Amino acid sequence: MTTESKSQEEILVEAARAAKENTYSPYSDFPVGAAVLLDDGQIFKGTNIENASYGLTCCAERVALFSARTATDAKVSALAISIGREGSALPKESLVPCGACRQVMSEFLDPETPVYVDGNRTFTMDELLPYSFILVE
Ligand code: THU
């Protein structure tokens, strides 16, 4: 038996992978999972939810973030994303969150908050979206 404990990254990436088990993606057949870690230790998962009217699809990242925010106003400490089927040989360019999700993520993640992308690397929010739209009056 090992006494080594799992890192925050490993735990969160595993949760993102697990979230794909309930993907609703009959149109693309492309599962995506996301997991949000909050500063109170809670983890919220999300998966992509598609619709016959394709444009109404909601990405996994947004489902996870909206689910977390619905439950609590605790701060987001990290987000993990797992894109595509296990073992698929997607290029690194495909293993990143879409632009719409980046804007939504920037509303809840600080610029330095880590985003762990399964099979790729850890990005900061600021690396993913340096000039996010911010409404300032
Ligand atoms: N998708 C996500 O869930 N997150 C992303 O960042 C990119 C794309 C979903 C939407 C759709 O259900 C499927 O992946 C194929 O585009």
Side-chain angles (χ1 to χ4, degrees):
M1 201 172 81
T2 175
T3 53
E4 283 175 41
S5 57
K6 286 183 183 168
S7 68
Q8 170 178 292
E9 177 176 355
E10 285 172 320
I11 291 166
L12 211 55
V13 167
E14 276 178 19
R17 285 181 190 158
K20 291 190 289 193
E21 287 167 18
N22 282 327
T23 182
Y24 181 74
S25 47
Y27 305 104
S28 70
D29 195 30
F30 189 82
V32 181
V36 176
L37 174 67
L38 302 176
D39 67 359
D40 64 5
Q42 289 190 87
I43 291 176
F44 286 85
K45 293 188 270 191
T47 191
N48 51 331
I49 310 286
E50 299 187 344
N51 191 273
S53 178
Y54 299 162
L56 301 183
T57 291
C58 194
C59 292
E61 297 89 326
R62 280 178 273 168
V63 173
L65 282 166
F66 295 166
S67 173
R69 180 63 204 197
T70 301
T72 170
D73 67 356
K75 206 170 160 47
V76 175
S77 305
L79 188 148
I81 311 168
S82 185
I83 298 169
R85 294 195 182 288
E86 298 303 319
S88 69
L90 287 165
K92 287 255 164 74
E93 297 75 43
S94 302
L95 302 178
V96 286
C98 80
C101 285
R102 294 181 200 202
Q103 175 65 31
V104 172
M105 286 157 57
S106 74
E107 191 82 29
F108 297 107
L109 275 64
D110 287 338
E112 296 311 317
T113 301
V115 178
Y116 309 123
V117 184
D118 194 11
N120 194 347
R121 69 173 176 90
T122 300
F123 298 87
T124 63
M125 185 62 242
D126 188 58
E127 280 182 294
L128 289 171
L129 190 61
Y131 293 97
S132 62
F133 176 67
I134 302 167
L135 201 55
V136 185
E137 294 196 19

